[in-house]
Structures are given as structure tokens and as C-alpha cells.
Amino acid sequence: MPLDNIKNIVLVLSGKGGVGKSSVTTQLALTLSLQGHSVGVLDIDLTGPSIPRFFAIEEEKVRQAPGGWIPVPVHDGQMLAPSRSPSTNGNANGDAAASGTQIGPLSCMSLGFILPNRNDAVIWRGPKKTAMVRQFLTDVLWPPLDYLLIDTPPGTSDEHISLLETLLKSTSTPGAPPNQLAGAVVVTTPQAVSISDVKKELNFCKKTGIRVLGVIENMAGFVCPNCSECTNVFSKGGGEVMAREFEVGFLGSVAVDPMFVRLVEEGERPLYPKGTVVEGKTMVERGDGAVEGSKEGFLVDKYRDCSLAPLFDGIVRRLVEDIRSRD
Amino acid sequence: MAPSLEEPTQVDLDAPLKRAPKLVAPEPEHCPGPESQQAGTADSCAGCPNQKICAAAPKGPDPDIPLITARLSSIHHKILVLSGKGGVGKSTFSTMLSHAFAANPDLVVGLMDTDICGPSIPKMMGVEEETIHVSGEGWEPVWVQENLGVMSVQFMLPGRDDAVIWRGAKKNGLIKKFLMEVRWGDVDVLVVDTPPGTSDEHLSVNSFLKTSGVDGAVLVSTPQEVSLLDVRKEIDFCRKAKIPILGIVENMSGFVCPGCKHESQIFRASTGGARRLAEDEKIPFLGAVPLDPRIGMACDFGESFLDAYPDSPACKAITGVVRRVAEEMGMKGIVLGKE
């Protein structure tokens, strides 16, 4: 089975669309890679694949090899030069950054790499989607991976049913690594409209027996880049309350960072107003010798300067610890 | 065997939708669809265990379509609210569109939620706890106010947090039931809210409504390219399915900090936003609605944002968009709210 050399599979789910499943998947993948793990990302959103855009590899095409498809590489495992961000408070990231960071390889697979034209609609009914999801799970030749993240479309329908059917079958075969299907990270936004849909997704996990690794509350608050005042654009705290109600872990609240949007949209290295400190780490400031709108470097390198990176560093550390304790 | 890289085949948009024959095996990948004209006779049917069953199934148009058309004949205008992307504000816009039309006491407005796995409309309309009433003449929609009725799958679920884990075929069946059974009565405007994507629900709504006529689709997008990318796919879908596009609305465009009044582009329009997309695709641009935290709050509490904050910039933008939608539909001159 092509999934045999994957140690852990993590699903990213949400009942609601546009809450940031792909954005969270991207950041989890980049952070895992920064922590030295080898990572693969599988995008099974067939009618609206966003992963190629997030990793800035929209122009790439999938290559075919005997026996299957070769995923599109984002970067190879390598030593990354020390980050320019002046790290303080001696947190784990700071020490590693001083001597450079060993990053793990990262590759992606998405229907976006197969479509001839990026604007074409994929108008498929259920059976066709089911077949495609199954093919993605069985015919992709992943390199040996520590983590495979699977980004899903919103809802609890065809893609999800076939994903779980196939995964539950393949991970229970004797050849599969133990506890291969680690569980699901559920993403929500704080407002009640989103929470009510995501509750359905948590019930879906319960019904199908998928362990919920935790809930991430995305788009909780927006920090004005001008005056640093935080506004709760989509209210706040709903994710944590929901996690408590369903007795699942709460991984953290993630604010909206326009610099992250800019990094994804235009590939610009994030820069912050003077004095921005996130999780005890001072962010790279404007006019601090840093070039405004620099697009140089790997995505993963630029991501280190994003204010969300320290946040995800903590989230991923907790996730990895949790997953390891079960192995 | 290496998987094929050939261009994925698209479904037959004109395929009649009727009850699929009972199959003995799962449908194969290149299945033309058990309800299609080629069922049992297409190239890919050779060797399929279902071949005989499909070949024997009755062909021709769906016998239920005339029933649906008859049921919907008392609805004068139908608008679809579409977006390839999730969470851009389709449901929010649908509710505001309905409220805005319903502000005119002479109009009767219906709102149908076809998002089966994640229905948001009941919550946004403040009728989450309601259930539908079944009478001899059909299902009664839930009336939010005298001239505004709502229908959603949420009203039929026993528990409001229950997951609806359904495959496409089952969802199609329910949408059809909605169209056949719901007793809308004399309705001036029916707003149909859809789930994200270009799949079963969209194909079904399109084929069921085709004969009774749809005024067109309003596309909703947020300004950033990640979202526009999916909306382009939806435009392609509308063109292929021959659904007229009334125009595109840009939601969540710009945010004014309540602290310092500095306007930020949270979701930056790096490629020119929906306005540019509309120009490129030659479809009308209906307007831009700024991000206002109070819209989300009004939705959470099931209130009408337009009634609660009539003087806010977002409200003015929305009424402007609704007026443009009405113009595009040829309803120019109708009174919308307090003008």
C-alpha cells in the first residue's frame, strides 16, 4: 500500500466552509517541517482546491511514474539559515534559530495539479468524487513521511465518507504502522453560525470513531496594523466553549493576520509595526533594515517571520506530543 | 497500473434526474450515471454488474419535473446565491437579500436553504427551533414574518447538532422533495441558498428549476485570490449549465478599525478583487460590502442586520447591492425598505 511508509495521518476537518481549513493545514505543514519532520499534504477538496495557491505552486503539474503519481515538492529537507527575527526570551525557537534550522521535506498533492486550466469548474457528482478520493489515497507515491495532513472540503458528504472508508480499511491492515490514523484537527471560527456547523462535524467524528486531536479557533480577532487594537471581527471564545462541551482538546485561538494573507497572496515576507511581540517573540519591524515587500526565499523561511508562526509552533508541539504518547 | 492523467470527464448537465434504479454494485468511476440517457449502453458500462439494470431502467425526462414546475408556477422570480468558496457569506447575503425584499410589504419572499450538511439559514433567521408542519397539501415553510418564509433541512433534523452524513444521491432526493412538497403559495421572489462547490446540489437545483425558469445567479466572493479562484470555477459552471449570471458581490471588503478608523484590507485584493474579475468576465459588478463585526453578530442572534443598524455603511452598501440585483432581474422600480 502506498500509505505504508507514512507514520501518522492527520485530517483537517470543518463543517463550515471558509473558516481556514486550508490555511490551518498550510501552517501546520510549514511548522511541522520547521520542526524537522517530513510532511505531505493531500488536498481532497475537489471542486475548490486551494492548497496549490497556498503553497505558491499553482503552475506545477503532477508527474506520472510507474505505479502512481509523484506529489509536487514544495521544498527538500535542508538546513535553513538563521532567521533574521530578533528572538528573545530564550524560547525553544530562539535557540534553534541561532544556529540555523534543519527543516524536513514538504510535498503536496491536489486535484489542482491535474486540471488543465485553473478556471475550469470540476462538475462532478458523488460517485466520480468517491473514485477520485480513493485514487488519491491509493495511487500517490509519497516519500517516507512522518506526517500526512489531509485537507478536506466543508461538510460531511461524499468526500468525507469515502476518505474515511478507505482510510479505516487501509490503516487496519496488518502492514500499516500502528495508530497510523492519528486523528482529526477540527477548525472553526468563533461565531455561532460557524460553531453550529462544526458541532455537526464533531458528531461526524464521534459516529465514525475518529479521534479529535483538538479544535483550533481561527479568525479570532484582528489586530489593527495601525494602532495595534484587537477587534473581535467574528466574536471570540466560541471554539473553546464548544471544545469543552464536546470534551475534546482546545489547541488555541488564531487571530487574523493580514501579513499572513499577504504572504500567501503575494509571497511577501511579513513585516510588523515596531514593538509587536507575539508569544514572547519580537517580530521583524518595518524599517529595521528589512526590505518592504521582499519576496525572496522559501515560503517556509518567510513564514518564520509571520506573527502566527510562534503560535503554531506551540500548537504543533502539543499535537506531536499527544500523537507520540499514543504510539 | 498508473492512474490516468486524462482530462477528467464532466457530467452531462442535461441528464434527467429521476429515481436511480436499484444497483447491485457501486457505480464505477466513469459511470455515465444510472439515470442518464446512456445508462447501460455507454462504453464504460461494458462489464459493469449493473449494466442490465441500468439498460432496463426507463429512459427519457424525469417524470417529476412537470410536477415541480407546476408546484413552482406561483413563484415569479427565482434567484440562486452561489459561490465556489465556502464561508464567503452566501447565507449571510441570502438572508439580507430576503430581508431587504421582504421590507416591501407588497412582496412575498421565500428563502430555501439547499446546504444539507451545513445549513445556516435557520440560525441566521432566528428560527432554529422550528419544525415544519405537514398538511394534506404539502409541507408548510416556516414563516419568519408575514411575508417571509424559510425552508431548510435543519427543520427536519431531530437534534440540531446531528451530522447529516449523506452521499450525493440522497441529497438530490431531498432537494427534489423540497421542490415538490413545499407549499410556497404565491411568492414573488424565491432566494435559493446553496452550499459551496459545483457538485450534486448545484446540478440538481439547476436541472429541477430549468423548466420553471431561473432569473439568474448572484455570485458572492471575498476579495482575495484564494477565493476568486473558486468563484471563477463557479462562473464556468454557470456558463456550462446556462444559468444567467446577475452579477457578483464582493463581501468582507475592507475593515474599519473601531479604535482608530484606519481602514485595513484584511483579505487583500491582490489581483484586483471581484471588481476586476467582473470586468474580465464581463459580468455586472453589484457592489462591495465592508466587513462589519455587527453583521456576524446579527446573524448569530438571528436578527435582521438591516433593521438593527440602518445607518451603518455596510447596510447602505447592502441595500445598494439589493437594488442592483432587482434591476438586473427587471424588477426596477420596486420599493425596497425605507427609501
Side-chain angles (χ1 to χ4, degrees):
Chain A
M1 280 293 286
L3 296 177
D4 281 355
N5 54 1
I6 297 168
K7 288 201 194 114
N8 301 293
I9 299 176
V10 176
L11 314 180
V12 180
L13 299 176
S14 175
K16 179 97 189 117
V19 295
K21 282 177 299 302
S22 300
S23 142
V24 164
T25 310
T26 306
Q27 300 191 63
L28 288 176
L30 292 175
T31 313
L32 279 166
S33 163
L34 280 171
Q35 294 181 1
H37 303 287
S38 50
V39 191
V41 177
L42 174 63
D43 180 9
I44 63 159
D45 190 342
L46 305 176
T47 53
S50 312
I51 288 293
R53 172 93 195 159
F54 269 100
F55 285 98
I57 43 176
E58 267 190 293
E59 303 300 317
E60 301 289 331
K61 286 275 170 269
V62 150
R63 279 178 304 141
Q64 221 169 351
W69 286 325
I70 300 175
V72 174
V74 180
H75 59 245
D76 297 326
Q78 59 193 280
M79 205 66 179
L80 217 56
S83 162
R84 288 172 316 142
S85 74
S87 297
T88 48
N89 300 6
N91 73 15
N93 222 14
D95 298 336
S99 55
T101 316
Q102 178 64 44
I103 59 167
L106 176 59
S107 49
C108 295
M109 184 66 205
S110 164
L111 187 64
F113 300 136
I114 300 174
L115 297 177
N117 183 342
R118 72 198 280 262
N119 299 342
D120 283 354
V122 176
I123 311 168
W124 290 355
R125 285 197 180 272
K128 180 88 183 155
K129 292 200 281 188
T130 303
M132 194 71 216
V133 169
R134 207 174 293 143
Q135 203 169 29
F136 269 152
L137 288 170
T138 53
D139 292 344
V140 180
L141 302 171
W142 294 104
L145 293 179
D146 295 326
Y147 292 92
L148 175 67
L149 304 177
I150 302 184
D151 186 21
T152 60
T156 49
S157 192
D158 295 281
E159 290 93 333
H160 306 79
I161 300 174
S162 37
L163 172 71
L164 284 172
E165 271 175 4
T166 318
L167 276 183
L168 291 174
K169 206 192 286 167
S170 78
T171 52
S172 59
T173 54
N179 292 325
Q180 191 185 21
L181 184 53
V185 171
V186 176
V187 186
T188 185
T189 50
Q191 73 272 44
V193 169
S194 164
I195 299 276
S196 63
D197 282 354
V198 178
K199 279 183 181 166
K200 290 175 194 283
E201 198 73 32
L202 287 175
N203 275 325
F204 170 80
C205 292
K206 241 186 222 168
K207 263 189 198 163
T208 48
I210 295 294
R211 200 166 86 84
V212 178
L213 295 169
V215 172
I216 293 183
E217 184 180 84
N218 196 23
M219 306 196 197
F222 165 72
V223 181
C224 175
N226 190 43
C227 66
S228 305
E229 170 157 332
C230 186
T231 313
N232 296 328
V233 184
F234 302 108
S235 84
K236 195 173 163 58
E240 196 165 359
V241 173
M242 177 184 72
R244 217 176 302 132
E245 188 186 320
F246 278 79
E247 292 168 349
V248 295
F250 181 69
L251 293 168
S253 277
V254 179
V256 179
D257 181 358
M259 285 301 150
F260 176 72
V261 180
R262 221 155 144 167
L263 170 67
V264 168
E265 287 278 291
E266 291 156 85
E268 283 180 18
R269 189 180 282 275
L271 288 173
Y272 294 90
K274 201 171 168 57
T276 309
V277 179
V278 182
E279 302 265 293
K281 189 180 170 218
T282 314
M283 305 317 308
V284 179
E285 292 162 9
R286 284 214 179 83
D288 188 29
V291 193
E292 182 99 20
S294 158
K295 299 187 182 183
E296 300 277 299
F298 282 127
L299 176 68
V300 64
D301 176 30
K302 288 183 280 194
Y303 178 67
R304 286 192 297 180
D305 289 347
C306 179
S307 74
L308 301 179
L311 212 72
F312 268 88
D313 189 60
I315 291 175
V316 167
R317 263 171 221 285
R318 267 173 280 148
L319 263 183
V320 168
E321 215 168 278
D322 180 23
I323 292 170
R324 280 210 182 125
S325 70
R326 305 242 161 192
D327 275 349
Chain B
M1 189 190 81
S4 80
L5 268 180
E6 64 175 307
E7 190 178 333
T9 46
Q10 305 282 351
V11 293
D12 178 8
L13 286 167
D14 300 316
L17 261 159
K18 51 180 181 277
R19 188 179 296 278
K22 210 154 182 62
L23 304 182
V24 291
E27 296 158 45
E29 183 187 348
H30 292 288
C31 178
E35 57 287 280
S36 79
Q37 294 290 347
Q38 303 99 40
T41 55
D43 291 346
S44 49
C45 293
C48 175
N50 300 320
Q51 191 182 4
K52 265 197 185 140
I53 301 170
C54 290
K59 298 283 187 298
D62 189 336
D64 289 334
I65 297 255
L67 293 177
I68 295 176
T69 312
R71 188 56 116 172
L72 299 181
S73 58
S74 57
I75 298 175
H76 303 298
H77 294 279
K78 303 180 202 73
I79 313 171
L80 304 179
V81 179
L82 296 175
S83 171
K85 180 99 188 115
V88 295
K90 284 177 298 302
S91 302
T92 310
F93 183 73
S94 302
T95 48
M96 292 197 288
L97 191 62
S98 322
H99 273 304
F101 278 128
N104 180 341
D106 297 335
L107 293 178
V108 180
V109 184
L111 174 56
M112 191 173 102
D113 184 5
T114 59
D115 190 342
I116 288 164
C117 293
S120 318
I121 292 290
K123 186 163 201 94
M124 292 183 178
M125 292 304 242
V127 287
E128 224 185 343
E129 308 294 334
E130 299 285 335
T131 48
I132 45 166
H133 303 282
V134 181
S135 70
E137 286 172 72
W139 301 349
E140 191 69 32
V142 172
W143 294 93
V144 178
Q145 57 193 62
E146 214 162 290
N147 60 344
L148 176 55
V150 179
M151 193 64 215
S152 166
V153 68
Q154 183 77 55
F155 300 138
M156 301 158 75
L157 297 180
R160 64 175 178 180
D161 296 342
D162 286 357
V164 180
I165 311 172
W166 287 4
R167 286 193 182 274
K170 205 168 167 189
K171 295 196 277 191
N172 300 337
L174 184 73
I175 292 175
K176 187 169 174 180
K177 230 165 156 67
F178 265 7
L179 293 169
M180 277 170 62
E181 302 288 342
V182 178
R183 206 165 63 91
W184 286 108
D186 215 6
V187 166
D188 294 290
V189 184
L190 178 70
V191 179
V192 182
D193 185 26
T194 60
T198 49
S199 193
D200 289 282
E201 294 90 336
H202 310 81
L203 286 165
S204 310
V205 168
N206 177 47
S207 51
F208 292 143
L209 293 185
K210 205 175 238 171
T211 44
S212 55
V214 176
D215 286 64
V218 176
L219 300 171
V220 185
S221 181
T222 49
Q224 76 276 40
E225 179 60 27
V226 173
S227 165
L228 293 172
L229 187 61
D230 290 350
V231 176
R232 280 198 196 95
K233 291 181 196 285
E234 202 73 34
I235 296 175
D236 186 40
F237 169 79
C238 288
R239 298 218 163 117
K240 281 182 178 150
K242 300 190 185 66
I243 303 171
I245 299 174
L246 295 174
I248 183 165
V249 186
E250 183 172 281
N251 196 15
M252 306 192 197
S253 86
F255 170 72
V256 179
C257 172
C260 66
K261 307 290 168 215
H262 172 82
E263 186 172 344
S264 332
Q265 303 292 326
I266 296 194
F267 302 108
R268 218 170 114 92
S270 58
T271 52
R275 192 182 295 269
R276 173 79 183 281
L277 175 67
E279 270 168 34
D280 291 349
E281 298 284 345
K282 302 195 173 49
I283 53 179
F285 179 69
L286 301 174
V289 180
L291 188 58
D292 187 332
R294 292 175 301 188
I295 298 181
M297 269 161 64
C299 287
D300 278 0
F301 291 111
E303 294 168 352
S304 165
F305 173 74
L306 301 176
D307 290 347
Y309 304 100
D311 298 323
S312 63
C315 179
K316 291 199 178 104
I318 293 159
T319 23
V321 170
V322 173
R323 204 165 298 136
R324 287 276 285 125
V325 171
E327 270 170 37
E328 292 290 335
M329 282 164 53
M331 289 172 68
K332 204 170 180 175
I334 59 147
V335 186
L336 295 171
K338 310 164 199 84
E339 282 181 62

